[in-house]
Amino acid sequence: MGLCLIVGCDGCRRGSDGDETTFTAPPFRVVSGKAFPLTRRDAGIGGMPDGAVKPGHWTSASVQLQSNRDDRRGILQTKTGVVGPRDDSEFVTTEDAQQATVLEQQDLLATDGQITSNAFADAIEGVRRPVVLPKGQSRTLATRLLVPDQRIGLSSNISFGGRFDPSGVAEQVVLPPSFFMPLPPQAVFFVVLTDRPERFTRLQTADWVTGTLDETEFRESVVPDNYLIVLPPTEGVVPIAETALDWTSTAVLLWDNVPTRSLTPNQRQAIADWVRLGGTMIVNGPAAAEALADDALAEYLLIRGDGNVELPIADAAALIDSMSVATDSSGPITKAKLADGSTRVALAGDALPNTNSIGDGGLIVEGRRGRGRVVQSRIDLMSAWLTGWKSYDSFFNGGILRRPARKLVDRPWSLESGWMNDSMIRHRYLDWELPVVPADVNTGLRVFSRDAKLSGQVETKTNNQFDRYRDPSVIVDGVSGISGWKSESDWVGRCRDTLQSQIGVTIPKVSLIGRSLAIYLMLLIPVNYVIFRMIGRLEWAWLAVLPLSIGGAVVIARAAQLDVGFVRLRNEIALLEAFDGYPRGHLTRVSQIYNSLASNYDVGFETDDAIVDIWQTRAGRSRNGQLLSGRSSWLSLGGDDAVHLSNLSVGSNSSGGLHVEQIAGLGGSLQLIVTSTDELQVQNQTRYELLDCIVIRKSNAGLRTCVLGTLSVGETESLTFLDQPPRPFAGDLPLGIDSLMNRLVDEDRFRSGEMQLIGRIDGAIEGMTVTPPCRQSQGQTIVLWHGRHALIPPVAVDANLIGDFRNRQTKLPEDSTADETPTESDPS
């Protein structure tokens, strides 16, 4: 029994007997944050060890933490900023940027251990998330950030940092600063999922990735980048975002040979949502088809795979002939290589209906998935026989990516340059002389509530070849490009104005108060006395005081327009953007909270993809308008709610607004059905009843309309179109949403080939809770369903090649079939 008190077990703890363990390692090990999508180091990081980001877009990031001494819990807090000169003529060195950001991070720490900020109350201070750190285990923690879009110059960097606050101790761990390269407005990410990155160097050096400039444009510091090629590492968790709302800066995903099990379920769901929003997904050959075949992403395959076969030479030759530049002399060489006796593999199987072939031969097909575009090839697009083809860049630019055709032009440099005998050969797009293309040419991703042009008439297309690749129905932002986060977009701005008009709160003038008080006292005392004195019932004057007081309060409240009383009121107008046959949609909420007395609110979301912005509207003459202002609101990830907004402060007699976006599950889809007799029907498989529905279809002949009215759950309605524009919605719809819905049926907004349903859901879609709850609450959800989309731009072939400006060999050598490199002299 005595031995039980003496002998003990130290378990797995290490240390010398009888002595306290001496720690030489620091308490915490912290690695600077990385931005997603993150490229692998062996693929070339291009001077961006921490990654690149697109200003004005939400993106995902990661921070690596390790506790070396104890198990720790705490809170990780991160925020972003801009480091570097705002003047494009200046540069900031890496050392200067690091020093500036370290000082910024030190300023975050106040003496009381709290983060201080000069931000206004209508701003999200940063992002928080709970952290659990087992001793000695390195953890990579995911977080999110909204990239700033203000005060950014060509030499600026986006800084990312913050701190970790361990619970129960006073020490704080400041994260080392990270620096992200901001992309120019037209540039977007091109993500390649592959285990063989060395095969994709051909894409990284392609002439459509970055344009060429002449002397004048060099002097003007023009950035001609179109894409940033990203090859994420596939070991462990792949560093790509887990929500489609963090994929808005990505235009293209090329899936090579990575199995779907390498991605998390949330990442696969994000890709599926992103494609429906307009992303381009390229399925590269037999390896990609095999990788996707056993997953939910198999619905994006356009070919019913039936094993592999030897590449048909005739089909490959047809592709070469149909997509070659007119001046390309390497076609015969490329086709000759196909007959060298080597075995080349192609995917067998039939293409699905409603798919089109890119070029002749049927080796590459494309089809729609929502607004997005899927391209699947039967061959490996990185095959040596294909990449050696001189028209390869033209084929990828105008066929695979569906971008405008280009023409190489030669312009002598000026006398001032000192290079009179040299020239500058650079690409220009047909009918477009500028070196930089608009952002809507490089990406097909669209979010209606962010991009839609509702102010003024939409520009009509011309016969200009370049205009066929533009989208006249969207607004291209000068910093964020397409689909950046905008709380001042046309749609959100109109929703805010509509909600503000519904509150109708105005502060009474002093003269109104004085007149009202004088009239009230006159009725309460002398008039009341005289009336009952005349009828001989003076004692009844005391009984009349109560109804006079109540009546006076009602009249004065009505005159002062305090029609919501001393209660909390929340109104919400939402836009649900849905796609044919897809059970999820993009939901944009614009919600406004009013209270007559100052209050603090917390907002919780059920889904972990929610993003939010806040604003306040204060009464101009209210002395209490600043009450509860100046506090910081934080976006928290994890916890009881998937996403949580804390400390939304709304002052006295003020209103606070929320701009929220989520991907919402609908419990089913709206389905466009084509019967055997070519009759069009729409079926409501969602869990929501749709009211005031109309379907609008745009063709070359004009606009056609079908009025459906109510579309109940499970109901199927035939579509009978009339050759007439839609009638305006009635002016008595709740929350005044008729003005918004009438914007959606504007004829100028539609492009040829589109079919859309516009309707509404009576109420707000679940998924967001406000605490404390507002007793008076109403909401309306406008539905915008895309049944069919605008036609895909035509295949484009470039006008010439770089070899046209140099001496080249056009005769086919006898041993050309044994040579893997075409004989035409072209270093590109």
Side-chain angles (χ1 to χ4, degrees):
M1 294 177 63
L3 289 177
C4 294
L5 301 177
I6 298 173
V7 179
C9 176
D10 288 334
C12 298
R13 300 185 183 277
R14 298 179 181 179
S16 58
D17 294 337
D19 296 330
E20 293 184 0
T21 303
T22 302
F23 295 98
T24 58
F28 294 94
R29 175 179 175 269
V30 187
V31 178
S32 59
K34 310 296 180 184
F36 293 171
L38 182 68
T39 194
R40 55 200 303 157
R41 290 184 174 273
D42 58 357
I45 58 177
M48 302 172 295
D50 297 330
V53 292
K54 192 164 179 62
H57 290 252
W58 282 88
T59 188
S60 299
S62 66
V63 175
Q64 190 173 344
L65 288 174
Q66 177 177 320
S67 176
N68 294 322
R69 299 184 180 179
D70 300 292
D71 298 339
R72 290 291 189 187
R73 295 176 179 267
I75 300 295
L76 175 67
Q77 302 180 150
T78 56
K79 61 191 304 183
T80 57
V82 178
V83 177
R86 313 298 174 241
D87 184 357
D88 295 343
S89 63
E90 299 179 9
F91 270 107
V92 58
T93 64
T94 302
E95 293 76 10
D96 292 339
Q98 290 177 346
Q99 180 65 24
T101 305
V102 168
L103 295 176
E104 288 182 3
Q105 300 303 328
Q106 291 176 351
D107 290 341
L108 295 176
L109 304 178
T111 55
D112 58 356
Q114 300 294 322
I115 287 185
T116 61
S117 173
N118 294 324
F120 298 100
D122 54 351
I124 302 296
E125 179 73 9
V127 177
R128 289 174 171 167
R129 61 155 296 163
V131 175
V132 178
L133 298 179
K135 175 185 173 183
Q137 296 184 16
S138 178
R139 293 202 59 193
T140 301
L141 307 168
T143 185
R144 305 174 72 185
L145 63 134
L146 175 60
V147 185
D149 60 356
Q150 302 292 326
R151 302 183 303 131
I152 296 177
L154 290 178
S155 54
S156 297
N157 284 317
I158 304 298
S159 65
F160 174 76
R163 72 184 195 189
F164 171 63
D165 291 333
S167 59
V169 295
E171 64 179 321
Q172 299 162 339
V173 182
V174 178
L175 305 182
S178 304
F179 300 98
F180 306 145
M181 182 191 77
L183 298 182
Q186 78 284 353
V188 282
F189 290 105
F190 186 122
V191 178
V192 181
L193 292 180
T194 182
D195 288 333
R196 42 187 186 178
E198 67 282 353
R199 294 175 58 87
F200 291 88
T201 56
R202 182 66 177 82
L203 292 187
Q204 293 175 300
T205 58
D207 56 25
W208 45 263
V209 172
T210 300
T212 53
L213 305 175
D214 63 20
E215 177 197 21
T216 304
E217 294 154 353
F218 272 121
R219 291 181 176 180
E220 294 175 353
S221 302
V222 176
V223 181
D225 296 345
N226 296 312
Y227 298 94
L228 180 63
I229 307 294
V230 176
L231 295 94
T234 55
E235 301 82 11
V237 179
V238 181
I240 58 177
E242 294 194 337
T243 166
L245 298 182
D246 291 356
W247 275 73
T248 55
S249 56
T250 299
V252 184
L253 170 65
L254 191 154
W255 198 301
D256 185 39
N257 64 340
V258 175
T260 55
R261 63 177 177 273
S262 298
L263 273 60
T264 67
N266 286 343
Q267 288 174 332
R268 297 197 293 270
Q269 182 65 71
I271 292 173
D273 296 338
W274 166 79
V275 172
R276 302 288 173 163
L277 288 173
T280 297
M281 181 174 177
I282 303 172
V283 183
N284 184 34
E290 181 180 357
L292 295 174
D294 59 347
D295 187 78
L297 290 176
E299 67 170 310
Y300 294 97
L301 295 178
L302 305 179
I303 300 173
R304 298 187 181 97
D306 190 18
N308 297 336
V309 297
E310 185 175 353
L311 172 64
I313 296 179
D315 293 343
L319 174 66
I320 296 296
D321 290 338
S322 63
M323 296 297 297
S324 286
V325 177
T327 60
D328 187 2
S329 62
S330 69
I333 300 174
T334 305
K335 290 185 288 185
K337 289 183 179 181
L338 295 172
D340 62 359
S342 301
T343 301
R344 296 176 175 86
V345 176
L347 178 66
D350 297 329
L352 298 178
N354 299 322
T355 59
N356 301 313
S357 176
I358 298 178
D360 296 338
L363 294 181
I364 303 172
V365 296
E366 65 177 349
R368 286 283 198 186
R369 290 295 184 269
R371 187 186 282 117
R373 180 171 162 265
V374 178
V375 178
Q376 184 173 3
S377 63
R378 298 180 185 271
I379 56 176
D380 186 351
L381 295 174
M382 298 295 110
S383 299
W385 67 269
L386 189 61
T387 58
W389 174 33
K390 292 302 179 183
S391 295
Y392 181 78
D393 282 348
S394 169
F395 155 72
F396 216 101
N397 174 79
I400 302 297
L401 298 180
R402 229 18 152 253
R403 301 178 74 245
R406 304 163 300 167
K407 181 179 181 179
L408 281 164
V409 295
D410 187 6
R411 178 179 175 183
W413 283 23
S414 68
L415 180 65
E416 300 165 353
S417 67
W419 296 90
M420 291 182 59
N421 297 325
D422 287 346
S423 62
M424 185 64 184
I425 301 174
R426 70 216 187 282
H427 270 120
R428 284 296 178 267
Y429 295 87
L430 300 184
D431 295 329
W432 183 265
E433 291 300 322
L434 298 178
V436 177
V437 299
D440 57 333
V441 171
N442 291 336
T443 178
L445 193 138
R446 306 285 187 268
V447 178
F448 183 87
S449 60
R450 304 185 186 186
D451 302 320
K453 181 187 293 185
L454 301 177
S455 299
Q457 186 175 4
V458 176
E459 298 176 4
T460 58
K461 286 191 175 182
T462 65
N463 293 325
N464 187 307
Q465 296 186 62
F466 189 83
D467 284 346
R468 291 183 295 179
Y469 299 85
R470 299 291 313 277
D471 187 350
S473 65
V474 301
I475 298 175
V476 179
D477 188 82
V479 177
S480 61
I482 287 289
S483 296
W485 174 260
K486 303 180 186 72
S487 285
E488 297 80 23
S489 67
D490 271 7
W491 177 262
V492 175
R494 292 179 184 276
C495 289
R496 291 169 61 173
D497 293 342
T498 302
L499 289 175
Q500 188 66 26
S501 65
Q502 293 297 310
I503 289 182
V505 177
T506 59
I507 302 302
K509 297 181 180 179
V510 176
S511 59
L512 174 62
I513 297 176
R515 288 196 306 269
S516 301
L517 183 60
I519 295 173
Y520 171 70
L521 293 177
M522 286 289 294
L523 293 175
L524 186 66
I525 301 176
V527 175
N528 185 26
Y529 173 82
V530 170
I531 291 176
F532 289 103
R533 182 79 172 85
M534 292 176 59
I535 65 175
R537 296 289 185 176
L538 188 58
E539 66 276 10
W540 288 4
W542 293 102
L543 298 177
V545 170
L546 182 59
L548 284 173
S549 301
I550 296 175
V554 172
V555 172
I556 292 176
R558 180 63 60 185
Q561 299 184 25
L562 295 176
D563 51 356
V564 296
F566 294 96
V567 294
R568 299 184 179 96
L569 169 69
R570 179 165 76 92
N571 293 333
E572 177 179 300
I573 297 176
L575 175 69
L576 176 63
E577 191 174 6
F579 303 93
D580 177 42
Y582 196 60
R584 291 161 62 85
H586 179 269
L587 180 66
T588 301
R589 304 176 189 264
V590 182
S591 186
Q592 195 159 28
I593 302 172
Y594 167 81
N595 45 228
S596 55
L597 299 179
S599 299
N600 246 355
Y601 295 90
D602 289 341
V603 185
F605 303 95
E606 296 178 0
T607 57
D608 55 8
D609 55 12
I611 49 181
V612 60
D613 195 8
I614 61 177
W615 69 86
Q616 279 202 354
T617 303
R618 301 187 184 95
R621 298 175 61 88
S622 175
R623 290 183 297 176
N624 297 324
Q626 299 294 331
L627 189 60
L628 288 185
S629 66
R631 298 189 179 184
S632 301
S633 298
W634 286 82
L635 195 65
S636 301
L637 309 179
D640 296 335
D641 297 312
V643 178
H644 186 86
L645 177 68
S646 60
N647 205 22
L648 170 60
S649 57
V650 181
S652 176
N653 192 32
S654 301
S655 62
L658 294 169
H659 169 204
V660 180
E661 293 186 19
Q662 301 171 263
I663 302 296
L666 310 179
S669 65
L670 275 171
Q671 181 79 44
L672 181 65
I673 301 173
V674 182
T675 66
S676 58
T677 59
D678 291 334
E679 180 186 13
L680 293 179
Q681 298 177 337
V682 61
Q683 185 179 61
N684 182 10
Q685 301 171 353
T686 71
R687 57 174 174 265
Y688 301 104
E689 181 182 52
L690 305 182
L691 307 175
D692 302 317
C693 297
I694 64 171
V695 179
I696 300 175
R697 185 178 185 179
K698 178 72 175 290
S699 65
N700 293 331
L703 212 62
R704 307 182 69 196
T705 305
C706 175
V707 178
L708 293 180
T710 299
L711 189 61
S712 302
V713 176
E715 185 179 5
T716 302
E717 286 284 349
S718 297
L719 300 179
T720 303
F721 291 94
L722 301 177
D723 293 325
Q724 62 183 28
R727 293 185 229 168
F729 287 92
D732 57 352
L733 295 182
L735 291 178
I737 63 171
D738 50 280
S739 61
L740 294 169
M741 296 182 70
N742 285 331
R743 287 284 177 179
L744 297 183
V745 301
D746 189 350
E747 181 176 359
D748 293 330
R749 193 181 62 78
F750 289 84
R751 295 190 292 162
S752 181
E754 288 185 327
M755 179 192 296
Q756 297 179 3
L757 178 146
I758 295 99
R760 68 181 178 94
I761 298 172
D762 188 17
I765 291 181
E766 63 275 6
M768 183 178 82
T769 57
V770 178
T771 307
C774 302
R775 294 186 179 181
Q776 297 185 25
S777 180
Q778 57 179 329
Q780 292 290 305
T781 302
I782 300 173
V783 178
L784 176 62
W785 171 74
H786 300 274
R788 288 181 176 172
H789 298 270
L791 302 178
I792 298 174
V795 171
V797 178
D798 287 350
N800 54 6
L801 294 171
I802 187 70
D804 298 338
F805 297 86
R806 303 171 183 173
N807 294 327
R808 60 185 185 275
Q809 181 178 349
T810 59
K811 183 179 178 181
L812 180 64
E814 295 180 358
D815 59 343
S816 61
T817 57
D819 185 10
E820 286 297 319
T821 305
T823 59
E824 181 177 347
S825 176
D826 183 357
S828 66

